[in-house]
Amino acid sequence: MSRGFIKEGDQEEIPRVPMRAYLPEGVPNYVTKEGLEALKEELKALQSERVKAGDNYIMVNYIDATMKLLVDRINSAVEVDLSKSNKDTVSFGAWVRYNGHVVRIVGVDEADVNKGLISFISPVAKMLIGKKAGDVIEMKGSEKIVVEEMSFEPMALTQMVHDKPVRTSTTTEKRPRRIIEEQPEPTAQAQPIVENKTLDSPAKAEGPRQFEPEVNNTEFLPIVNERGNIVGRAMYVELHKGNKMLHPVAHLHVMNGEGETTRRYWWHVAFGDTPEKTLKRKMVETLGLSGANPKLKRQYIRESKTEKELVYVFTAVSEEDLPITPEGKEYIEVFEKD
């Protein structure tokens, strides 16, 4: 949980039970042996927490609800016997080296791209499954995925540490190459921002600034599960045409000293960033607001006809003259469940 349990009499809302990782209806819940063991260990930890909860009924109810989802997932698990897999073809449980990086295809609850583990329902895994070493997958534009090696024996996975890909062991490769899950090459928009107190001076001289939600169809954004763990990535345009791949966004409600909301903004979370990291950078880049301290209010899943978002709602207090936000119905609907 991201926040502590509340005590009886407190005015805060009861903690929301996080959903398990997304698994499409009708798709078997494939797991590796290690993945199933991890689920069982998670259940033991919850059972221990429940005992410690004592007569705290809020905590007990929360843990019971969490355990129910976990037990359902364990009961539906289909452990894949890797010994029966075709050793020459990429399939569930395989380690795959492509474009100089190594990933393993695992179950939805095991997926964590920061550790080199990708879900079998992720776009990249779907492209890799069925391929053999030496196969080349043509991507949009000039990008290609080259399947260099695959194995059902453990290989050193590529991890993401401090937003950069690193290996768990040394390698003889001359240089790393991009993969579809790793962070895209830095752009001017994603560079570290140096605080500058005069950043909003020109805008003030020119009159009111207008906030425009960013749209970059070629930008890669993270795909996450309901717990916020990254399980892959896809282009902005792919995430906004109705395929409902869950991706994180940060909402910011700016309030005045009286607690009244004066502005509302939103941004997509950059690949490799935490929601808070993206938010703070965008507050400086697009609002010229560097002194405010945003606080996480809640998170929830927002679904529309064209997309599905894991929304992180933040609040901040500021009396500064900030960019004017759109007043249209479509923009307002973005925040209606905040």
Side-chain angles (χ1 to χ4, degrees):
M1 290 176 55
S2 60
R3 53 185 293 186
F5 291 106
I6 63 175
K7 298 178 182 179
E8 187 173 1
D10 286 351
Q11 297 305 308
E12 299 183 47
E13 62 185 59
I14 295 176
R16 300 172 68 88
V17 177
M19 299 297 292
R20 301 298 306 182
Y22 173 67
L23 183 67
E25 185 176 355
V27 175
N29 178 26
Y30 293 124
V31 297
T32 64
K33 179 180 179 180
E34 303 93 321
L36 183 56
E37 290 176 352
L39 290 175
K40 292 178 179 178
E41 287 300 316
E42 184 181 349
L43 180 59
K44 289 181 181 178
L46 284 174
Q47 291 170 335
S48 177
E49 287 185 25
R50 195 184 189 288
V51 173
K52 294 178 182 178
D55 58 357
N56 185 330
Y57 77 95
I58 292 179
M59 180 179 283
V60 168
N61 288 343
Y62 176 89
I63 294 175
D64 283 347
T66 304
M67 287 175 57
K68 167 88 169 49
L69 294 177
L70 176 56
V71 170
D72 289 345
R73 189 55 59 91
I74 291 174
N75 289 340
S76 67
V78 179
E79 184 180 343
V80 177
D81 184 355
L82 301 186
S83 66
K84 298 180 180 179
S85 300
N86 184 329
K87 305 305 179 183
D88 298 321
T89 304
V90 177
S91 61
F92 184 91
W95 281 261
V96 186
R97 182 190 304 279
Y98 69 98
N99 292 18
H101 299 268
V102 179
V103 297
R104 189 188 185 197
I105 301 172
V106 296
V108 293
D109 287 290
E110 305 170 69
D112 186 346
V113 74
N114 292 326
K115 297 180 180 178
L117 303 172
I118 63 173
S119 163
F120 73 96
I121 65 171
S122 68
V124 176
K126 289 180 178 178
M127 286 189 289
L128 290 173
I129 290 174
K131 300 298 188 294
K132 297 180 178 181
D135 286 349
V136 177
I137 304 171
E138 299 288 343
M139 305 291 291
K140 292 182 179 179
S142 59
E143 189 172 10
K144 297 180 180 179
I145 288 181
V146 180
V147 182
E148 299 165 349
E149 182 184 358
M150 60 80 52
S151 175
F152 286 94
E153 296 298 325
M155 298 168 62
L157 296 169
T158 299
Q159 297 182 344
M160 295 287 291
V161 177
H162 301 307
D163 303 342
K164 296 180 180 179
V166 299
R167 296 294 185 83
T168 55
S169 64
T170 57
T171 177
T172 57
E173 286 210 324
K174 296 182 180 180
R175 62 184 179 89
R177 288 170 287 176
R178 277 175 49 185
I179 58 172
I180 199 161
E181 289 87 13
E182 77 173 71
Q183 188 174 3
E185 295 297 323
T187 62
Q189 193 176 35
Q191 295 301 312
I193 301 300
V194 178
E195 281 192 16
N196 186 341
K197 298 299 182 180
T198 63
L199 187 124
D200 58 346
S201 299
K204 290 182 179 179
E206 296 170 4
R209 293 171 290 163
Q210 182 74 32
F211 174 79
E212 294 292 341
E214 297 173 350
V215 176
N216 184 348
N217 286 331
T218 60
E219 178 185 11
F220 279 103
L221 297 175
I223 301 172
V224 299
N225 59 27
E226 283 80 354
R227 290 178 289 173
N229 294 328
I230 299 175
V231 297
R233 79 172 190 175
M235 284 187 177
Y236 180 104
V237 66
E238 293 297 324
L239 294 172
H240 295 81
K241 63 178 185 180
N243 54 33
K244 302 299 180 70
M245 288 187 286
L246 188 64
H247 56 285
V249 297
H251 287 190
L252 176 65
H253 292 249
V254 180
M255 299 181 294
N256 59 24
E258 285 71 47
E260 301 170 326
T261 299
T262 57
R263 294 284 192 274
R264 292 178 293 186
Y265 307 98
W266 65 268
W267 300 274
H268 286 89
V269 175
F271 189 91
D273 273 4
T274 63
E276 184 175 12
K277 183 175 179 180
T278 286
L279 177 70
K280 288 183 175 180
R281 185 176 69 248
K282 293 299 184 181
M283 287 171 65
V284 175
E285 288 180 5
T286 62
L287 306 182
L289 186 59
S290 59
N293 182 29
K295 295 182 179 180
L296 180 63
K297 176 183 176 183
R298 62 172 298 212
Q299 69 183 63
Y300 67 95
I301 292 178
R302 172 182 176 270
E303 187 169 354
S304 68
K305 293 181 180 179
T306 59
E307 62 180 326
K308 188 175 182 180
E309 300 173 326
L310 180 58
V311 181
Y312 293 83
V313 183
F314 292 85
T315 61
V317 178
S318 176
E319 299 285 357
E320 293 189 30
D321 183 18
L322 300 176
I324 299 172
T325 54
E327 297 298 329
K329 178 181 178 182
E330 183 176 352
Y331 184 83
I332 295 175
E333 287 178 347
V334 170
F335 305 94
E336 64 182 357
K337 293 184 178 180
D338 284 10

